[in-house]
Amino acid sequence: AQSVSQHNHHVILSEAASLELGCNYSYGGTVNLFWYVQYPGQHLQLLLKYFSGDPLVKGIKGFEAEFIKSKFSFNLRKPSVQWSDTAEYFCAVNAQAGGSYIPTFGRGTSLIVHP
Amino acid sequence: EAGVAQSPRYKIIEKRQSVAFWCNPISGHATLYWYQQILGQGPKLLIQFQNNGVVDDSQLPKDRFSAERLKGVDSTLKIQPAKLEDSAVYLCASSFKRLGFYEQYFGPGTRLTVT
């Protein structure tokens, strides 16, 4: 069975600092990769996704992530965070199983950005 | 377009009681997911439906949890009898296949407290 590891459980930054959240997965087959964000009191929503092509993907609000197949990683980055980026961030992997894709989430990273 | 609807939003029950949650996915989404999210953890997939068939239920505690999606549209998740460790947020999501991948849309969740 596949698994997803998020290395940073709690991150505290000041505004304008750079952000990188690590995500590694274990699955040797075809995967789709996602980062989701959950702002306080809101639903989980998609931040960005990768399924093929350019391994550097750009999402909403200036976030980007790079898929490194050889390292089974999909790290999330943002060059300059804002107070409004305070949220929970979840990495997720959809692993192909037969004709379907089965999702697995990491445990999440809580990001607090101080103004 | 309307999002994923879930009800109730909150539920408090005593252990050994039963409870049911309802989910109405986005119109046209063939795939429906139920997740359990315990505080401080990522969402854990309980069951995945494709139309009204089960794709994966390997992490569903079948001695107490059941789920159905009879007409391939809305779905119910039931717990009977509940245990203290079932206290969590139960998330429903739906997706459709676009350009080779499945993008999930999440509902607001049902927060269950078992006392």
Side-chain angles (χ1 to χ4, degrees):
Chain A
Q2 63 270 22
S3 64
V4 179
S5 298
Q6 291 185 239
H7 314 300
N8 318 97
H9 298 156
H10 300 277
V11 174
I12 301 174
L13 296 173
S14 298
E15 275 193 319
S18 63
L19 171 71
E20 180 160 3
L21 301 182
C23 174
N24 286 87
Y25 66 93
S26 63
Y27 187 74
T30 302
V31 294
N32 300 154
L33 301 164
F34 304 84
W35 277 96
Y36 289 87
V37 61
Q38 188 167 27
Y39 298 105
Q42 296 188 24
H43 305 183
L44 270 167
Q45 57 185 280
L46 184 67
L47 199 56
L48 48 76
K49 58 186 179 282
Y50 171 84
F51 63 99
S52 67
D54 189 344
L56 184 63
V57 294
K58 296 188 183 300
I60 60 172
K61 303 185 180 184
F63 286 89
E64 64 179 30
E66 184 176 13
F67 171 48
I68 303 179
K69 189 174 182 179
S70 60
K71 295 184 178 180
F72 297 89
S73 70
F74 190 55
N75 292 354
L76 180 71
R77 300 194 291 251
K78 186 171 183 179
S80 176
V81 295
Q82 300 175 309
W83 174 79
S84 58
D85 293 325
T86 294
E88 291 273 344
Y89 292 82
F90 296 93
C91 180
V93 173
N94 278 15
Q96 189 176 31
S100 298
Y101 283 80
I102 309 301
T104 301
F105 280 75
R107 65 171 290 173
T109 297
S110 173
L111 172 66
I112 296 174
V113 180
H114 289 301
Chain B
E1 77 187 346
V4 177
Q6 289 188 248
S7 67
R9 294 293 310 277
Y10 305 91
K11 190 75 176 178
I12 301 174
I13 62 172
E14 295 181 351
K15 60 184 179 183
R16 292 187 289 273
Q17 286 186 322
S18 62
V19 64
F21 312 126
W22 174 81
C23 172
N24 192 29
I26 294 172
S27 177
H29 284 196
T31 309
L32 185 147
Y33 314 78
W34 282 103
Y35 292 90
Q36 179 192 60
Q37 187 175 16
I38 292 172
L39 187 65
Q41 299 181 21
K44 182 180 84 171
L45 181 68
L46 293 176
I47 189 166
Q48 178 177 341
F49 292 97
Q50 181 75 16
N51 297 308
N52 60 350
V54 176
V55 174
D56 186 90
D57 64 356
S58 57
Q59 299 190 93
L60 186 74
K62 297 180 185 65
D63 58 334
R64 298 185 301 107
F65 287 64
S66 64
E68 59 183 14
R69 192 184 186 199
L70 293 175
K71 297 182 179 179
V73 180
D74 57 348
S75 175
T76 56
L77 176 70
K78 297 179 181 177
I79 307 175
Q80 182 179 13
K83 293 185 176 181
L84 295 176
E85 58 261 36
D86 298 332
S87 293
V89 176
Y90 290 85
L91 297 168
C92 180
S94 68
S95 72
F96 68 101
K97 190 174 183 179
R98 182 176 70 172
L99 300 177
F101 70 95
Y102 293 85
E103 179 177 333
Q104 294 184 69
Y105 295 79
F106 284 84
T110 297
R111 184 176 298 277
L112 174 67
T113 302
V114 182
T115 63

